[in-house]
């Protein structure tokens, strides 16, 4: 028997939610064949079969959140069966009962039982004795005691027929008294519910932590992109196509190099602000499952076209839920481009422990005053930058965005940097 | 053996007086009985347990010895295997360590070693325990050293009448007995004790109170504590089955098992240190005999793993009624 356990897929994860199984009990699986998809704090990961064999048991249900180390699937190796197997864990349990009770009728029922439903329950030895004497399968009983412990009265209730042994969900177990009260028996308005789990829950946890820990300050700025758009159109004619976002990232890295405080993370425990030499730009990406932030690594070492290409790849993988843990780690600064969706201003929440997050909003055609005091039509983009006021101050933040805006408004300035 | 229930003449005695009385009965009824110990003769013993006995029975039967616990017990061994019935006194249980070698290598083994040819019918009396503000080594409660070694019985009474009957039974036993007398109980209470000689069977516990909710187990000085705790929690509707073990080796397995199988819960109280204490053996006994009857983990209330401290710190070292009550509540509310 091989137990496939949930292992630590990312750095120090402690639990994961079962999304779905690719297999069912009885299936023959090959080595490395995907068995189950698990949503961790950051990614949906597949666990694969460590050996070839037949799926004997599936122990956690989809939707369930399980701790690292929990056995999810039991595979029986090919060429063995449960009777010959060296570690017949469940069979042992049956034997134990045989020895202790010595009752033949019970031996038969225990041995024939569908073992996929067995689970560990909390119960005192005396309660187990009552269950055994009355041939109640205690694994099937939902306890009403502390931590769901099965109590004597739970068994007596079953014996009296006032309770059915069942494997109800935890939510129902939580409030046994309330469930039977008149409040719950009154006709109630039907509401649709969405499970608050998985990535949604992770986003909630992270955002709450960030907003409650970091004193956020957001300042707003705008940039006139007419020249940049001209450049983009010009290069397109010459067969070079880059997205504005790629240009934004390229220039952003230059601004960050000059204002390194915004390419930092705060390590509160060790009381240091870490200024990073790597420029790993997080790209806040909207997906059907919610916000996720893949990281574009070493943006400073890449050309605009390389950035463009990699950005598209990361976004596509995010949409298809194909990101790996590695893709999500190590960000030093996050950029959130909500322009394509609309919006001209926001107060974004920082992707802790980073120092700042820059949201780019919609570019609109607007009247602008030109250098020679004429009113003209300009392509004006708004942006919002939130920063951690513990680490940086407003003046630094404004200087930083000013520098960036310079390069956005006058692409020639970028060339100066590249010389 | 004289039946205790049929004893008509009784007298009020403290535990130490009952011991003295038992020794007197023993010396009177059997010419082979000898007492050995430090200051037990002319001085009548550090706690007056042998008061007046040398006067009555002479220096040949109540013998003052040098300060040599090893020598006292060693002499006792020789006397015992050659037909005498020595009763030796260790002034305090904490002073028994020099005699430990004699006890472990000779007292407990001669029957085995001689394949039953010789036995050592010796009684070693050892006042034990904290609670009277004695200096530190005078307060030890190290029964576990002796219950661990097969070949010696360990007896520990908690009342004057039990003390007399158990001491006489110990003397009648063909094998060695360590007889522990609580310093704290020596003059703790008086009760009617039969004047004549009688024996209380070794190896049998005493049901002090009958109850259904939880079993309390203790011996010696801790018995009054569990009785008090039981009567306090009784006011809250918790009924305790209270057992005085009386003999620590061999344990009254039947009485303990019967009680915990009835209540499903147990609290063990002893003043000896927790680690390696006899309470651990009682937990094992309950596990071995009654596991499927248990409704809560067994609780132990014990002395701490430090030597008994000096002065009023003893009060914090010894199990108190409130600690016992807290343990009872934990098992009841489990």
């Amino acid at each position: 028997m091989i137990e496939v356990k949930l292992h630590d897929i990312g750095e120090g994860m402690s639990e994961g939610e079962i999304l779905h199984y690719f297999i069912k009990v009885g299936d023959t699986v090959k080595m490395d064949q995907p068995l189950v998809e698990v949503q961790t704090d950051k990614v949906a990961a597949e666990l694969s079969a460590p050996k070839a064999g037949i799926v004997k048991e599936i122990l956690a249900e989809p939707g369930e959140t399980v701790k690292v180390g929990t056995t999810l699937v039991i595979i029986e190796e090919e060429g063995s069966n449960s009777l010959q197997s060296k570690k017949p864990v469940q069979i042992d349990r049956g034997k134990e009962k045989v020895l202790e009770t010595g009752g033949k009728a019970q031996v038969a029922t225990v041995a024939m039982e569908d073992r996929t439903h067995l689970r560990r329950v909390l119960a005192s030895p005396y309660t187990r004795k009552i269950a055994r004497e009355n041939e109640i399968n205690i694994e099937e009983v939902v306890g009403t005691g502390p931590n769901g412990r099965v109590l004597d009265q739970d068994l007596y209730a079953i014996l009296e027929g006032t309770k059915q042994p069942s494997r109800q969900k935890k939510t129902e177990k939580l409030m046994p008294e309330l469930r039977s009260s008149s409040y719950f028996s009154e006709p109630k308005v039907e509401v649709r519910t969405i499970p608050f789990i998985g990535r949604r829950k992770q986003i909630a946890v992270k955002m709450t932590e960030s907003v409650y820990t970091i004193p956020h300050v957001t300042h707003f700025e705008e940039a006139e992109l007419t020249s940049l758009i001209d450049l983009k159109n010009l290069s397109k004619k010459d067969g070079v196509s880059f997205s504005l976002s790629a240009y934004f990232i390229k220039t952003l890295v230059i601004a960050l190099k000059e204002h390194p405080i915004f390419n930092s993370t705060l390590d509160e425990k060790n009381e240091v602000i870490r200024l990073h030499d790597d420029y790993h730009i997080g790209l806040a990406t909207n997906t059907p499952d919610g916000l996720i932030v893949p990281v574009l690594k070493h943006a400073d070492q890449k050309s605009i076209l390389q950035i463009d290409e990699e950005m598209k790849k990361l976004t596509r993988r995010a949409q298809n839920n194909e990101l790996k843990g590695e893709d999500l780690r190590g960000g030093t600064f996050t950029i959130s481009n909500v322009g394509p969706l609309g919006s001209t201003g926001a107060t974004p929440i920082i992707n802790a422990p980073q120092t700042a997050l820059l949201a780019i909003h919609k570019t609109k055609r607007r009247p602008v005053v030109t250098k020679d005091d004429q009113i003209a039509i300009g392509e004006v983009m708004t942006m919002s930058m939130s920063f951690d006021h513990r680490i940086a101050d407003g003046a630094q933040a404004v200087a930083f965005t000013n520098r960036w805006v310079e390069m956005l408004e006058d692409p020639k300035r970028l060339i100066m940097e590249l010389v | 053996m004289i039946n205790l229930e049929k004893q008509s003449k009784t007298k009020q005695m403290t535990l130490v007086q009952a011991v003295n009385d038992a020794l007197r009965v023993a010396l009177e009824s059997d010419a082979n009985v000898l007492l050995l110990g430090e200051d037990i003769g002319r001085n009548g013993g550090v706690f007056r347990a042998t008061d007046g006995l040398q006067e009555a029975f002479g220096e040949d039967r109540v013998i003052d010895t040098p300060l040599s616990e090893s020598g006292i017990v060693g002499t006792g061994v020789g006397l015992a295997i050659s037909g005498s019935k020595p009763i030796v006194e260790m002034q305090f249980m904490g002073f028994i360590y020099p005699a430990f070698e004699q006890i472990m290598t000779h007292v407990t083994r001669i029957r085995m070693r001689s394949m039953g040819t010789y036995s050592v019918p010796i009684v070693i009396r050892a006042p034990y325990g904290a609670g009277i503000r004695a200096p530190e080594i005078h307060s030890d409660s190290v029964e576990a050293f002796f219950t661990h070694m097969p070949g010696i019985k360990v007896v520990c009474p908690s009342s004057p009448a039990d003390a007399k009957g158990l001491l006489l039974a110990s003397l009648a036993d063909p094998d060695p007995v360590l007889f522990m007398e609580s310093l704290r109980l020596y003059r703790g209470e008086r009760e009617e004790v039969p004047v004549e000689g009688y024996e209380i069977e070794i190896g049998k516990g005493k049901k002090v109170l009958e109850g259904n909710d939880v079993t309390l187990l203790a011996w010696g000085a801790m018995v009054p504590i569990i009785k008090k705790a039981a009567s306090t929690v009784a006011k809250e509707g918790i009924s305790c089955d209270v057992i005085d073990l009386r003999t620590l080796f061999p344990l009254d397995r039947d009485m303990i098992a019967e009680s915990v199988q009835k209540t499903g819960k147990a609290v063990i109280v002893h003043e000896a240190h927790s680690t390696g204490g006899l309470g651990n053996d009682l937990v094992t006994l309950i596990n071995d005999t009654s596991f499927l009857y248990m409704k809560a983990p067994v609780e132990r209330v014990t002395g701490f793993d430090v030597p008994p401290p000096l002065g009023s710190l003893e009060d914090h070292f010894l199990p108190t009624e409130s600690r016992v009550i807290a343990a009872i509540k934990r098992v009841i509310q489990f």
Side-chain angles (χ1 to χ4, degrees):
Chain A
M1 292 283 182
I2 297 160
E3 294 183 350
V4 181
K5 293 179 176 173
L6 177 61
H7 54 269
D8 185 352
I9 303 160
E11 288 163 17
M13 65 172 264
S14 61
E15 59 181 28
E17 180 199 339
I18 308 293
L19 292 179
H20 68 273
Y21 288 94
F22 302 105
I23 41 102
K24 57 184 189 299
V25 173
D27 281 1
T28 304
V29 292
K30 293 196 195 99
M31 190 170 155
D32 294 333
Q33 181 179 332
L35 299 175
V36 54
E37 191 173 23
V38 180
Q39 174 74 51
T40 71
D41 291 2
K42 293 163 179 172
V43 280
E46 287 172 7
L47 301 187
S48 51
K51 287 212 171 142
I54 295 160
V55 178
K56 294 306 283 183
E57 282 190 55
I58 293 179
L59 297 166
E61 284 166 30
E64 219 175 289
T65 298
V66 293
K67 296 244 176 289
V68 166
T70 309
T71 304
L72 303 178
V73 177
I74 293 178
I75 295 173
E76 191 178 73
E77 278 180 87
E78 275 171 343
S80 72
N81 64 48
S82 55
L83 288 173
Q84 294 165 336
S85 163
K86 280 185 184 155
K87 280 168 62 189
V89 181
Q90 305 286 10
I91 296 287
D92 264 351
R93 195 185 281 189
K95 273 185 189 161
E96 194 179 297
K97 291 194 178 191
V98 176
L99 287 174
E100 286 185 14
T101 59
K104 277 185 184 165
Q106 204 176 345
V107 174
T109 53
V110 170
M112 297 304 288
E113 228 168 275
D114 177 4
R115 302 208 166 274
T116 57
H117 292 297
L118 288 183
R119 66 194 176 107
R120 294 193 73 82
V121 291
L122 296 177
S124 76
Y126 182 67
T127 312
R128 289 175 191 277
K129 180 172 178 275
I130 299 173
R132 216 168 277 196
E133 284 169 352
N134 291 288
E135 296 183 2
I136 296 171
N137 185 355
I138 202 160
E139 275 93 357
E140 297 285 323
V141 180
V142 173
T144 58
N147 297 319
R149 191 165 73 218
V150 177
L151 305 177
D152 300 354
Q153 50 261 42
D154 294 327
L155 299 177
Y156 292 135
I158 289 167
L159 291 172
E160 286 160 17
T162 56
K163 180 175 172 173
Q164 287 293 314
S166 65
R167 303 197 328 118
Q168 285 156 311
K169 287 278 176 213
K170 274 186 192 158
T171 45
E172 288 175 76
K173 273 195 281 182
L174 284 175
M175 298 185 291
E177 310 88 349
L178 288 178
R179 265 192 295 139
S180 57
S181 75
S182 60
Y183 177 81
F184 279 88
S185 56
E186 274 171 24
K188 49 180 179 251
V189 183
E190 283 294 317
V191 248
R192 291 193 302 135
T193 57
I194 301 168
F196 189 51
I197 52 174
R199 189 180 296 172
R200 194 69 258 158
K201 184 78 182 282
Q202 291 307 327
I203 292 170
V205 169
K206 196 147 188 217
M207 292 299 167
T208 308
E209 197 187 326
S210 178
V211 91
Y212 276 107
T213 316
I214 301 177
H216 281 65
V217 174
T218 308
H219 83 266
F220 303 94
E221 189 57 87
E222 48 187 42
E224 211 260 287
L225 301 184
T226 316
S227 306
L228 180 58
I229 289 165
D230 286 348
L231 176 69
K232 178 180 150 78
N233 294 339
L234 187 72
S235 59
K236 201 169 186 178
K237 269 188 212 157
D238 294 340
V240 180
S241 175
F242 64 88
S243 67
L244 289 181
S245 299
Y247 183 87
F248 293 161
I249 290 169
K250 187 72 196 171
T251 46
L252 180 75
V253 169
I254 291 161
L256 281 174
K257 280 188 172 173
E258 291 171 22
H259 300 272
I261 193 68
F262 295 107
N263 196 53
S264 70
T265 50
L266 177 60
D267 180 349
E268 275 184 273
K269 206 173 119 200
N270 295 307
E271 299 186 329
V272 286
I273 299 165
R274 297 186 195 287
L275 303 175
H276 298 286
D277 288 331
D278 292 325
Y279 295 85
H280 296 336
I281 307 299
L283 309 168
T285 308
N286 184 43
T287 74
D289 292 333
L291 178 70
I292 194 154
V293 189
V295 177
L296 198 160
K297 301 274 167 69
H298 301 292
D300 57 321
Q301 297 165 20
K302 288 171 180 159
S303 71
I304 295 176
L305 290 180
Q306 281 171 325
I307 291 172
D308 194 40
E309 196 181 320
E310 192 165 327
M311 203 169 57
K312 281 174 184 152
K313 204 159 74 189
L314 283 172
T315 312
R316 189 176 63 246
R317 298 229 317 265
Q319 296 298 339
N320 297 338
N321 210 2
E322 290 169 357
L323 291 172
K324 300 204 162 49
E326 190 53 36
D327 295 327
L328 300 166
R329 280 196 279 273
T332 57
F333 186 96
T334 298
I335 189 164
S336 172
N337 188 357
V338 289
L341 309 171
S343 152
T344 55
T347 53
I349 296 173
I350 296 162
N351 188 10
Q354 294 167 23
T355 302
L357 184 142
L358 188 61
I360 300 162
H361 305 283
K362 197 179 168 84
T363 305
K364 272 165 87 172
R365 289 166 73 81
R366 269 202 261 156
V368 291
V369 179
T370 63
K371 273 178 227 158
D372 43 358
D373 284 350
Q374 299 294 307
I375 296 195
I377 294 170
E379 303 275 355
V380 178
M381 180 184 83
T382 51
M383 69 188 80
S384 319
M385 180 164 123
S386 292
F387 63 93
D388 186 338
H389 208 337
R390 295 173 304 177
I391 302 171
D393 298 322
Q396 290 169 295
V398 172
F400 168 65
T401 45
N402 281 350
R403 176 68 178 112
W404 189 49
V405 168
E406 258 175 34
M407 285 181 282
L408 295 182
E409 294 191 336
D410 188 357
K412 288 198 288 293
R413 285 179 184 270
L414 173 64
I415 294 163
M416 298 303 289
E417 294 303 324
L418 299 177
V419 172
Chain B
M1 198 197 301
I2 295 158
N3 190 324
L4 181 56
E5 266 75 45
K6 288 183 183 160
Q7 297 279 305
S8 51
K9 275 167 77 183
T10 61
K11 198 179 155 194
Q12 283 271 328
M13 291 184 202
T14 61
L15 194 144
V16 71
Q17 286 167 342
V19 168
N20 182 281
D21 194 47
L23 295 173
R24 182 185 302 277
V25 169
L27 287 161
E28 272 169 3
S29 57
D30 187 342
N32 289 322
V33 172
L34 290 169
L35 308 191
L36 297 165
E38 296 158 5
D39 288 334
I40 63 164
R42 187 178 297 181
N43 193 34
V46 65
F47 294 102
R48 328 301 310 159
T50 51
D51 200 18
L53 297 179
Q54 194 181 54
E55 221 173 5
F57 297 97
E59 287 183 13
D60 292 342
R61 297 192 66 197
V62 181
I63 304 161
D64 273 326
T65 65
L67 289 179
S68 168
E69 284 78 10
S70 173
I72 299 167
V73 174
T75 306
V77 172
L79 287 166
I81 59 177
S82 56
S84 293
K85 287 191 170 176
I87 303 175
V88 307
E89 180 183 289
M90 297 288 110
Q91 274 192 338
F92 292 88
M93 196 178 201
F95 295 179
I96 207 167
Y97 307 127
F100 199 65
E101 189 271 336
Q102 283 293 335
I103 297 170
M104 290 296 144
T105 58
H106 300 298
V107 171
T108 63
R109 288 170 193 265
I110 282 178
R111 178 185 276 280
M112 179 86 171
R113 192 178 286 153
S114 67
M115 293 195 285
T117 308
Y118 298 103
S119 68
V120 185
I122 189 174
V123 176
I124 303 168
R125 292 180 40 247
Y128 85 96
I132 62 156
R133 309 281 193 263
E136 165 261 321
I137 204 166
H138 300 64
S139 307
D140 284 5
S141 177
V142 288
E143 60 274 19
F145 290 163
F146 301 95
T147 55
H148 183 68
M149 180 58 87
I152 187 165
K153 297 185 177 79
V154 181
V155 173
C156 185
S158 74
S159 73
D162 276 6
K164 182 173 177 183
L166 285 166
L167 184 52
L168 289 171
S170 299
L171 189 65
D173 197 283
D175 287 304
V177 174
L178 175 68
F179 194 81
M180 296 168 61
E181 297 161 13
S182 164
L183 295 180
R184 211 179 175 190
L185 296 184
Y186 260 160
R187 294 183 170 80
E189 61 165 340
R190 282 174 186 279
E191 70 176 358
E192 293 292 330
V193 177
V195 173
E196 287 178 62
Y198 60 95
E199 289 173 22
I200 292 171
E201 192 181 350
I202 293 174
K204 296 284 176 201
K206 181 162 80 175
K207 185 69 74 70
V208 178
L209 278 171
E210 193 79 39
N212 294 312
D213 297 330
V214 55
T215 299
L216 307 185
L217 299 170
W219 56 91
M222 292 299 110
V223 173
I225 307 258
I226 60 170
K227 275 160 78 176
K228 241 175 120 187
S231 69
T232 304
V233 298
K235 290 171 199 144
E236 298 177 37
I238 300 170
S239 88
C240 301
D241 221 30
V242 178
I243 294 175
D244 173 1
L245 293 179
R246 296 205 290 200
T247 300
L248 310 186
F249 187 92
L251 287 166
D252 191 344
R253 294 170 65 90
D254 294 343
M255 181 180 274
I256 296 164
E258 193 192 334
S259 174
V260 293
Q261 287 179 11
K262 175 178 71 176
T263 62
K265 298 179 174 193
V267 174
I268 298 158
V269 183
H270 63 63
E271 66 172 282
H273 314 298
S274 171
T275 303
L278 187 62
N280 302 1
D281 285 281
L282 290 166
V283 175
T284 307
L285 190 156
I286 290 167
N287 185 52
D288 290 350
T289 59
S290 315
F291 180 73
L292 272 180
Y293 295 84
M294 297 314 288
K295 300 170 184 171
V298 178
E299 284 271 351
R300 291 177 308 132
V301 180
T302 69
F304 297 104
D305 283 345
V306 294
L310 288 172
S312 60
L313 279 174
E314 275 185 339
D315 299 340
H316 301 282
F317 172 79
L318 288 170
T320 55
E321 189 198 350
S322 65
R323 274 173 69 197
V324 175
I325 289 171
I328 292 171
K329 296 216 167 141
R330 283 197 294 274
V331 296
I332 291 293
Q333 287 159 6
F334 179 79

